[in-house]
Amino acid sequence: MYKAVILDLDGTVYVGTQLTPGAKEGIEELRRLGFKIMFLTNNSMVSRRMIIRKLDEMGIEAKVDEVLNSGAATAIYLKNRMRNVKVFVVGEIGLVEELLIHGHEIVSDYRQAEAVVVGGDRYLTYNKLLDAHRAIIKGALFVATNRDHALMEEDGPVPGAGAVVAYLETSTGVKPIVIGKPERYIADLALQLLNVTPDEAVMVGDNIATDLELAKKAGMRGILIRTGLGKNKAPESITSVNNLLELPRILLNKQ
Amino acid sequence: MYKAVILDLDGTVYVGTQLTPGAKEGIEELRRLGFKIMFLTNNSMVSRRMIIRKLDEMGIEAKVDEVLNSGAATAIYLKNRMRNVKVFVVGEIGLVEELLIHGHEIVSDYRQAEAVVVGGDRYLTYNKLLDAHRAIIKGALFVATNRDHALMEEDGPVPGAGAVVAYLETSTGVKPIVIGKPERYIADLALQLLNVTPDEAVMVGDNIATDLELAKKAGMRGILIRTGLGKNKAPESITSVNNLLELPRILLNKQ
């Protein structure tokens, strides 16, 4: 019997600043039926607080422990592995916020860095890359929030965190630890925070390569939503829904 | 009988701002013996003019048609393929100079770009990468001057052109055309400019992965020099010299 629903955000709950059809009502129905909800996103540019505010502006209430993004997951990973860490960040302010909240120290001198954390960064410069490169060569732990190649924006795709990761991986020859989807760490962490087993949870997302791959790796049921990237492709072997309003019925049928 | 010697520059003729031992005398002896000389480097941050000035400051005279770097080779490649091209550049001023000299136009609006040319860039910003990414997605030809992972500097290795290439390759999903070593194009072009056949030329360099690989691909004899990167590793199957002063003797013995 399913107890929790893990929902991808971008392309699943909203596309840009617009909710997907039935998202608000679907989520409210899931809550009424007693499902625990977790919003799971690779976006590391924003903090959980920024995500909650965005959801709130679109009429969806969420608590901080209902949101897990790759930035927060990275901060938790570092805490579990090394306690409080001196971090050199290639990323945006939302990532810095999560690292600080979880007790890490942000350093601007690469020689002090115990870890280099990489996320999407629209303020990327050569000097930031050079210092990250030098810190990694000196032995700092190289951690990637995620390897997404690109993000969809209204004007088309823009480079994702994975592009920055590829730059540093190429220049240093060091392979990073990757936290976000489709790596298993973030799914296991979500299940742990939800306090459910893999067969008590479903993962719903629009991206076969990240969301459904993650579900498979973590032993969860994966459901494709035909919004965002999921619009065009839905192999018959995959359960799919047209929108979040259809989700409760599918989950109840399967119980 | 050998007629031409193709010499790598960085690590072979000089390391940083210091000539390798015997470089000046070795090159003068090669010239006296009638060998044509070509300096071949992947460095696209500088122009041939800047390279000649650097050599001159270290006491080695060279003419512009004795130098081929991956920036000049890229400019020639574009000219041969598409005549004069509107280029969006991710790279430094030396690369811009070579493109202009060869008749191309530099554009700052990515929508006008017919080609995106990528080299090492110490002034890299997200906006440059984003515009290059967008130009490539719109169909501009993606050309990499080279894929060197890192450059050796006095403080240690720094990111090379290959890191920038990896960023854009990841974000766009498009594979670039690569001009520099160890890709064959630059060797064939060097041989053509020297007006010799592959078996009339030797390639001398300190890097097995680029210089000697290039020699192999182009059907030239390759000789490893035990300076720069070549200091530590010299498999027995490879002919090697300790310095450029030893080179003339090797070449005469083999004739």
Side-chain angles (χ1 to χ4, degrees), chain B residues 238-252:
Chain B
I238 294 174
T239 305
S240 70
V241 293
N242 287 307
N243 53 58
L244 285 177
L245 208 48
E246 290 182 5
L247 188 62
R249 188 177 45 81
I250 295 265
L251 296 181
L252 295 175

Side-chain angles (χ1 to χ4, degrees), chain A residues 6-93:
Chain A
I6 301 177
L7 292 170
D8 168 53
L9 279 174
D10 201 23
T12 298
V13 174
Y14 49 66
V15 174
T17 56
Q18 297 296 313
L19 284 178
T20 57
K24 183 174 155 63
E25 301 74 17
I27 291 165
E28 283 169 0
E29 180 66 11
L30 289 171
R31 289 197 196 278
R32 249 193 311 273
L33 292 167
F35 289 104
K36 293 182 187 182
I37 304 282
M38 175 74 81
F39 298 103
L40 188 71
T41 172
N42 268 358
N43 191 333
S44 64
M45 293 192 286
V46 290
S47 64
R48 289 168 302 161
R49 183 184 57 80
M50 291 153 107
I51 291 168
I52 289 165
R53 191 194 298 156
K54 176 171 179 174
L55 285 169
D56 184 60
E57 281 167 2
M58 294 192 288
I60 293 177
E61 264 182 70
K63 283 171 284 182
V64 71
D65 60 3
E66 290 179 324
V67 177
L68 184 62
N69 71 340
S70 65
T74 299
I76 294 167
Y77 170 83
L78 285 175
K79 202 168 168 178
N80 290 340
R81 177 172 171 149
M82 301 158 76
R83 299 184 66 98
N84 294 342
V85 182
K86 289 182 175 161
V87 181
F88 185 90
V89 179
V90 182
E92 295 197 11
I93 197 72

Side-chain angles (χ1 to χ4, degrees), chain A residues 121 124 126 133 157 159 163 166-167 170, chain B residues 121 124 126 133 157 159 163 166-167 170:
Chain A
D121 190 346
L124 195 64
Y126 177 73
H133 162 96
Y167 182 105
T170 300
Chain B
D121 189 347
L124 195 64
Y126 178 73
H133 163 96
Y167 182 106
T170 299

